[in-house]
């Protein structure tokens, strides 16, 4: 049995390969003992490779030995594997990992490098949503945001150029939260605007990072996209609006763990 683990700031993701079949499992990093107990109960004999910011801590708690690999190497390898049936994916391309924070990587024929990132990511969705609405569960935030309307919160280019022809697409946001006129806002609308801001920020940063390398494909991964059609739509629309091609990977949140598994 082989196990790849990606222990991130928010979630611990595990991919297990046993008798030719693959299973995945995730845990909250704030309850690391749950992950440790589960792994010890079911896979104490597994060969383990871990990655992510909390890999060291997790391996120590497990006490089963195991190796560690660099997170970015694992992520890129995992994406390549998970995309191997995507005929559209040719090097060079960008990988944008929207985890707790956001990291942007360039993948070229002979290697990869980190281009940068932003602290605006999935953790921002969680933190600002909690502050504004008191809601802490990711699933609830995403569910409510589906009924949200951003028009009383976000200022678009079309709003600014009211009655005139704007020099850039009117759908672009001119100012996130820039249209707020009242402190009374529906929670649904606030949540949609927070997710919108995060999506627009990560896609804008990705397209700008890609531009000097003449790369037009951006692969988005990370648990922030799980069951989150709102974020996917904002990111897809914004990436296209800014002239690049967005790609979402099925099970992309397991890229790091899969890359770790593949290095065993
Ligand atoms: P990093 O790589 O930045 O250290 P991470 O690997 O833990 O962090 P991900 O697991 O990719 O990050 O994504 C975490 C984000 O996914 C959260 O900030 C939240 O927006 C979202 N998310 C999805 N499902 C959950 C969940 N069950 N609990 C908490 N957050 C979730
Ligand atoms: Mg991560």
């Amino acid at each position: 049995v082989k196990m790849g683990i990606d222990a991130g700031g928010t979630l611990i993701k595990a991919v297990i390969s046993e008798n030719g079949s693959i299973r995945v499992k995730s845990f909250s990093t704030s309850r690391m003992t749950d992950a440790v107990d589960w792994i010890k109960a079911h896979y104490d004999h597994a060969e383990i490779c871990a990655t992510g910011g909390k890999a060291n801590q997790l391996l120590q708690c497990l006490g089963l030995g195991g190796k560690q690999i660099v997170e970015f190497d694992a992520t890129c390898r995992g994406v390549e594997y998970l995309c191997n049936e995507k005929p559209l994916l040719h090097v060079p391309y960008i990988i944008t990992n929207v985890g707790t924070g956001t990291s942007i990587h360039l993948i070229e024929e002979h290697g990869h490098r980190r281009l940068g990132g932003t602290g605006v990511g999935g953790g921002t969705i969680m933190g600002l949503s909690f502050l504004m609405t008191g809601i802490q569960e990711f699933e609830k935030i995403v569910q409510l945001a589906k009924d949200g309307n951003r028009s009383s919160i976000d200022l678009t280019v079309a709003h600014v150029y009211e009655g005139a022809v704007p020099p850039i697409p009117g759908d672009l946001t001119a100012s996130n939260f820039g249209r707020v006129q009242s402190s009374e806002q529906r929670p649904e609308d606030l949540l949609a605007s927070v997710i919108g801001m995060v999506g627009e920020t990560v896609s804008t940063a990705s397209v700008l990072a890609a531009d000097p390398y003449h790369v037009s494909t951006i692969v988005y991964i990370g648990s922030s996209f799980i069951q989150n059609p709102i974020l996917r739509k904002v990111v897809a629309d914004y990436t296209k609006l800014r002239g690049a091609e967005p790609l979402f990977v099925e099970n992309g949140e397991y890229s790091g763990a899969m890359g770790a598994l593949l290095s065993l």
Side-chain angles (χ1 to χ4, degrees):
V1 183
K2 289 181 178 179
M3 183 181 318
I5 305 172
D6 175 8
T10 305
L11 298 173
I12 296 170
K13 283 78 64 182
V15 178
I16 302 120
S17 163
E18 188 173 20
N19 303 325
S21 71
I22 296 266
R23 76 179 282 199
V24 298
K25 179 101 179 146
S26 67
F27 304 88
S28 173
T29 304
S30 62
R31 298 166 59 105
M32 193 180 277
T33 47
D34 288 357
V36 169
D37 292 347
W38 186 85
I39 293 168
K40 278 186 173 164
H42 298 89
Y43 295 103
D44 63 337
H45 54 299
E47 198 185 340
I48 294 173
C49 179
T51 192
K54 304 274 186 201
N56 206 24
Q57 197 183 329
L58 180 73
L59 285 177
Q60 281 195 345
C61 291
L62 271 173
L64 301 171
K67 70 175 214 174
Q68 261 190 72
I69 64 163
V70 176
E71 180 175 353
F72 306 136
D73 294 344
T75 305
C76 296
R77 191 158 179 185
V79 167
E80 197 182 339
Y81 179 86
L82 292 171
C83 284
N84 67 356
E85 268 146 35
K86 277 213 174 18
L88 287 170
L89 193 64
H90 300 295
V91 286
Y93 56 90
I94 297 284
I95 295 176
T96 296
N97 185 1
V98 188
T100 313
T102 299
S103 202
I104 302 171
H105 309 267
L106 171 67
I107 317 304
E108 294 176 303
E109 188 161 2
H110 300 293
H112 62 84
R113 75 181 125 138
R114 186 173 189 274
L115 297 179
T118 164
V120 175
T124 312
I125 296 177
M126 302 302 285
L128 288 181
S129 296
F130 183 35
L131 281 176
M132 292 191 296
T133 67
I135 301 169
Q136 274 184 293
E137 297 81 17
F138 179 77
E139 290 78 9
K140 270 194 197 162
I141 291 167
V142 167
Q143 200 54 42
L144 266 180
K146 286 180 189 165
D147 298 320
N149 180 338
R150 298 170 59 186
S151 63
S152 67
I153 297 176
D154 295 320
L155 192 72
T156 64
V157 169
H159 288 140
V160 177
Y161 277 81
E162 196 185 9
V165 179
I168 52 174
D171 291 345
L172 286 170
T173 302
S175 177
N176 295 91
F177 289 86
R179 209 178 191 219
V180 171
Q181 296 294 324
S182 152
S183 59
E184 310 269 309
Q185 300 287 344
R186 295 166 69 227
E188 294 87 329
D189 300 345
L190 288 165
L191 296 172
S193 289
V194 168
I195 292 176
M197 181 177 71
V198 170
E200 289 167 10
T201 304
V202 302
S203 45
T204 300
S206 302
V207 175
L208 290 176
D211 191 59
Y213 302 96
H214 309 290
V215 176
S216 59
T217 305
I218 300 171
V219 180
Y220 290 99
I221 60 166
S223 308
S224 306
F225 293 106
I226 295 177
Q227 309 266 298
N228 195 346
I230 301 267
L231 184 66
R232 281 173 194 248
K233 185 170 180 347
V234 171
V235 166
D237 289 351
Y238 234 67
T239 303
K240 287 183 207 155
L241 207 56
R242 293 195 176 275
E245 191 57 42
L247 221 67
F248 295 93
V249 185
E250 205 179 331
N251 295 315
E253 64 274 19
Y254 287 100
S255 300
M258 181 55 92
L261 174 75
L262 290 170
S263 80
L264 281 169

